[in-house]
């Protein structure tokens, strides 16, 4: 006959495991929620881009100097070089960034090789948006009178 005894896991060890797990969950939510809930809303007078826990922007027609549609890969001067406030992951940029040309811009991009809307504001900052369904986004902007229909 023999007797076997085990060492119990100390309370301190459980506390560390729980704290690390909760921290990882919170960090994951801080990154995932803004991306999952990010929306671009359009109406006749305003474009809103934002999500909870993420930077957002409201662009009113009166604040716009110019609007253009571009292919981002052809404009290296618009590439973000420094994240000021927001989320910057490979293939995803949401928030305020400093660009290669020195401008400050609000970006909502899902890739660098994609088409984008570039809005220059009176404040000399830029708004660069590249939603998932870009052709539908472009047609809605035309429908709402933000840009003239292309011929």
């Amino acid at each position: 006959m023999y007797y076997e005894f085990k060492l119990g896991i100390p309370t301190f060890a459980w506390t560390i495991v729980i704290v690390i797990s909760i921290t990882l969950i919170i960090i994951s939510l801080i990154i995932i929620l803004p991306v999952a809930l990010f929306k671009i809303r359009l109406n006749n007078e305003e474009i809103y881009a934002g999500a909870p826990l993420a930077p957002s922007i409201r662009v009113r027609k009166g604040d716009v100097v110019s609007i253009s549609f571009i292919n981002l890969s052809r404009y290296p001067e618009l590439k973000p070089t420094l994240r000021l406030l927001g989320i910057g992951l490979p293939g995803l940029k949401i928030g305020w960034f400093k660009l290669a040309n020195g401008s400050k811009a609000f970006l909502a991009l899902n890739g660098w090789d994609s088409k984008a809307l570039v809005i220059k504001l009176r404040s000399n900052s830029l708004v660069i948006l590249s939603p998932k369904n870009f052709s539908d986004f472009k047609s809605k902007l035309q429908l709402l009178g933000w840009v003239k229909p292309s011929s």
Side-chain angles (χ1 to χ4, degrees):
M1 176 181 266
Y2 69 91
Y3 298 94
E4 193 174 288
F5 299 91
K6 293 183 179 182
L7 291 177
I9 297 175
T11 306
F12 181 73
W14 280 114
T15 304
I16 289 175
V17 168
I18 290 170
V19 167
I20 289 173
S21 298
I22 289 172
T23 303
L24 289 174
I25 289 169
I26 290 171
I27 290 171
S28 297
L29 288 175
I30 287 172
I31 292 172
I32 294 169
L33 272 180
V35 173
L37 299 176
F38 193 86
K39 303 276 189 249
I40 299 173
R41 285 192 309 245
L42 310 171
N43 66 38
N44 291 341
E45 293 301 318
E46 181 179 87
I47 297 173
Y48 168 82
L53 302 175
S56 62
I57 191 166
R58 289 184 190 282
V59 176
R60 291 175 178 78
K61 272 190 178 172
D63 297 333
V64 174
V65 173
S66 66
I67 293 181
S68 57
F69 297 104
I70 65 165
N71 185 329
L72 287 171
S73 62
R74 295 185 184 158
Y75 293 87
E77 66 272 14
L78 297 180
K79 196 164 190 141
T81 57
L82 177 67
R83 179 180 47 209
L84 302 173
L85 176 64
I87 299 168
L89 299 170
L92 176 74
K93 305 280 188 257
I94 297 174
W96 288 98
F97 291 80
K98 187 168 187 165
L99 305 179
N101 66 6
S103 297
K104 182 179 169 186
F106 182 89
L107 304 180
L109 305 176
N110 63 5
W112 190 249
D113 296 334
S114 56
K115 295 177 183 176
L117 170 72
V118 178
I119 304 171
K120 184 172 183 177
L121 302 175
R122 280 193 205 166
S123 62
N124 280 334
S125 58
L126 299 172
V127 177
I128 304 176
L129 305 174
S130 177
K132 197 159 120 179
N133 189 347
F134 191 78
S135 59
D136 190 36
F137 175 66
K138 184 177 178 180
S139 68
K140 296 298 186 257
L141 285 166
Q142 292 170 340
L143 181 70
L144 292 170
W146 282 88
V147 291
K148 293 178 184 172
S150 47
S151 41

